[in-house]
Amino acid sequence: MSGRSEPAARGTVIERAGEAIADVVERWMPSPFLFAIILSYVVFVVGMIVEGQGPTEMVGFWYDGFWAFLEFAMQMVLIIMTGFVIAYHPRVNDALQWLATLPNSGRQAVVLVGVVSMTLAWIHWGLSLVVGAIFAREMGKAAYQRGIDVHYPLLCVAGYMGLGLTWHWGLSGSAPLLLATPGNEFIELGVVEDTVGTSATVFSTYALALTALSIAYAAVVLYLLSPSPTRSRDISAYVSEDALLERGSAAETTTDDADDLAVDGGTTASASDSGGSDDTGDGPLPAERIDNSRLLGGLIALTGVAVIAWEFYSQGLDALTLNVLNFAFLFVGLAIYTRPMAYRDRFGEASEAAAGIILLFPFFAGIQGMMAGSGLAETIAAGLLAISTPETFPVVAWITGAIVNFFVPSGGGEWIVLGPSVLEAAHELGLETGHATIAYAVGDAHTNLANPFWALPLLAITDIRAREMFGYAVAMLLALIPFLAIALYVIPY
């Protein structure tokens, strides 16, 4: 890799401050797992001090809640894994390379990456997380090869904007989809009486207007933040020259049917995929042909897609739940790959990305167990009520979600911890559950722009360091504050 080159002039005050903050974060901020442990102790101590509970009682609440959200954790695992698998298909990479040829200036390149990232995040946050990173890198390479000056750190921030703005209001948003799932934890806790359909959250005019306006506003800010060509640092300052001359990205090395396999009608064989070959040299074994059968894979994939189509035909938009979303992307991915063995192998590669969710969610459930059992959740709800009115509550919910997201860097885990308190406060003020849910989700997504944890896949793919891009991420976070405050207050539900 070539060394980091610096522009002739230093960056703006905001950029330098952001880079300094990101550098401190990169050096000193502990892992999300340690955050979960620290928060467990914080809630443990606060429950004893504020609610007068004893240590034995608090440990009991923690233990009783620890395994309460296993189903939800598995749903989150499938979201990130199905998005990862689809994003790393070579055909997706081909489409990104074509899109990278469209911009004629650095500002256009940054805006296009940002809009794609934010739009995909509304559809599926796991897909946006990986595709946004790949697209930022491909756009940087295309601009370098075409002689277009584009600031690579800002390009990487644009690829991260989906996680920093629109994901939690969309089709894969943890909070709205959890409420729409039959028998969910909020029903069991008595917070809501029945499921809350996505027509009241994701597909409400409130959420749709907020999404459209936010994408447009963020695109303008990205355009204005783009440095002039003379101040831009292109991808060559961060990625080796050999990598810049390559045609594709890491996505192309995952599975390419023409390179890895011999295709014969509906059957395909690969020793690497099947784990073996015929010792006699007479060709693939029957088991290998079955494992790689496009006919079998395609048939089951089309069956799954047909089931999803029927669900929406019969139930409308309210058919969307976490289970339906995961079912849909599971079979769409199989339809793209068609070969069952290749699809299984891609899931094996995606499993590492989901390891953190598997580890963290039991701890989040334990935290919620302590908050609910000790009465701390009710106290928080009362605190929200004390400083809120029906008009200002969406803004208060947004700020609450933004603050807590610094300590619980997981939308689903955060909603499990404080969601009951937010909804109870909203109900006391006479606000709709869907209204409060979306407002809270805005805060959860917003402060991802100051949190490098979810950016780890992007940092690895783009070959950039956190402190080199988070100056602009913090600038985006600050620029969004007045817009979100006004939008949440003004847009009618």
Side-chain angles (χ1 to χ4, degrees):
M1 178 186 298
S2 61
R4 266 59 172 172
S5 62
E6 298 293 336
R10 299 183 69 190
T12 63
V13 173
I14 292 179
E15 181 183 348
R16 295 200 305 271
E19 288 176 353
I21 293 170
D23 187 42
V24 172
V25 167
E26 187 177 20
R27 287 175 175 271
W28 296 106
M29 185 175 285
S31 70
F33 180 43
L34 188 56
F35 258 129
I37 294 174
I38 293 172
L39 189 61
S40 297
Y41 282 111
V42 169
V43 174
F44 177 82
V45 172
V46 172
M48 290 191 295
I49 295 174
V50 175
E51 303 299 334
Q53 300 287 345
T56 303
E57 287 78 11
M58 291 300 294
V59 170
F61 298 144
W62 179 69
Y63 177 77
D64 290 341
F66 207 75
W67 303 113
F69 302 120
L70 288 179
E71 180 182 359
F72 184 51
M74 184 61 181
Q75 289 166 333
M76 294 297 100
V77 166
L78 281 174
I79 283 181
I80 193 169
M81 291 181 69
T82 54
F84 184 101
V85 168
I86 294 174
Y88 264 86
H89 192 280
R91 301 299 172 261
V92 174
N93 190 248
D94 290 341
L96 295 179
Q97 289 180 11
W98 176 79
L99 285 174
T101 64
L102 300 181
N104 294 315
S105 70
R107 286 188 169 91
Q108 292 177 8
V110 168
V111 170
L112 180 58
V113 171
V115 170
V116 168
S117 172
M118 289 183 283
T119 302
L120 283 179
W122 188 87
I123 298 171
H124 190 290
W125 66 261
L127 187 63
S128 173
L129 182 64
V130 181
V131 169
I134 296 173
F135 193 26
R137 183 182 175 101
E138 291 302 316
M139 185 67 79
K141 289 170 61 177
Y144 175 78
Q145 294 165 1
R146 297 170 62 201
I148 296 174
D149 294 308
V150 59
H151 196 52
Y152 191 60
L154 185 58
L155 200 59
C156 294
V157 171
Y160 187 57
M161 281 304 302
L163 268 290
L165 192 58
T166 56
W167 81 270
H168 212 163
W169 329 338
L171 304 185
S172 63
S174 307
L177 291 193
L178 178 61
L179 291 175
T181 301
N184 65 73
E185 292 79 357
F186 284 61
I187 296 175
E188 294 179 359
L189 293 171
V191 178
V192 294
E193 295 180 357
D194 201 355
T195 56
V196 180
T198 50
S199 60
T201 53
V202 174
F203 296 112
S204 66
T205 54
Y206 180 76
L208 293 175
L210 189 60
T211 301
L213 291 173
S214 296
I215 292 175
Y217 179 86
V220 172
V221 175
L222 286 171
Y223 184 90
L224 295 176
L225 277 177
S226 298
S228 64
T230 57
R231 283 188 32 79
S232 296
R233 295 194 298 268
D234 64 26
I235 192 174
S236 64
Y238 306 89
V239 179
S240 68
E241 185 175 355
D242 290 341
L244 291 177
L245 297 177
E246 294 174 357
R247 176 184 173 273
S249 73
E252 287 192 295
T253 66
T254 58
T255 180
D256 192 327
D257 301 337
D259 294 339
D260 297 340
L261 307 164
V263 181
D264 181 18
T267 61
T268 314
S270 170
S272 61
D273 283 340
S274 63
S277 60
D278 192 344
D279 292 336
T280 65
D282 294 332
L285 296 171
E288 295 171 347
R289 295 186 178 186
I290 294 173
D291 285 341
N292 290 288
S293 172
R294 294 186 184 279
L295 177 61
L296 294 177
L299 182 61
I300 189 64
L302 291 176
T303 302
V305 172
V307 169
I308 292 299
W310 173 254
E311 287 291 316
F312 279 98
Y313 174 78
S314 59
Q315 300 182 47
L317 296 178
D318 283 340
L320 183 63
T321 66
L322 280 170
N323 291 335
V324 168
L325 176 85
N326 279 325
F327 189 93
F329 273 87
L330 192 66
F331 284 94
V332 166
L334 182 56
I336 293 174
Y337 280 86
T338 66
R339 295 188 299 110
M341 187 62 70
Y343 196 45
R344 187 212 66 179
D345 289 347
R346 299 296 78 75
F347 258 83
E349 295 172 4
S351 62
E352 184 176 352
I357 292 176
I358 297 171
L359 177 62
L360 286 175
F361 267 84
F363 286 88
F364 291 140
I367 292 168
Q368 174 54 35
M370 288 190 289
M371 294 186 68
S374 67
L376 188 58
E378 295 180 5
T379 300
I380 293 174
L384 287 172
L385 277 170
I387 61 173
S388 302
T389 66
E391 293 75 23
T392 62
F393 183 82
V395 177
V396 173
W398 158 56
I399 294 172
T400 303
I403 293 173
V404 175
N405 189 51
F406 280 114
F407 303 98
V408 188
S410 165
E414 180 185 337
W415 184 241
I416 287 171
V417 171
L418 280 186
S421 304
V422 172
L423 294 186
E424 288 171 9
H427 295 163
E428 290 290 332
L429 290 170
L431 268 69
E432 296 288 343
T433 298
H435 193 180
T437 302
I438 292 299
Y440 187 84
V442 171
D444 168 73
H446 181 207
T447 45
N448 280 343
L449 288 170
N451 192 330
F453 292 141
W454 284 115
L456 290 176
L458 180 142
L459 298 175
I461 292 170
T462 58
D463 219 358
I464 197 169
R465 293 177 293 198
R467 64 176 179 268
E468 292 169 333
M469 64 169 276
F470 267 84
Y472 282 101
V474 171
M476 282 297 305
L477 183 148
L478 296 174
L480 284 167
I481 288 176
F483 164 77
L484 291 175
I486 295 171
L488 290 168
Y489 185 82
V490 172
I491 297 176
Y493 181 74

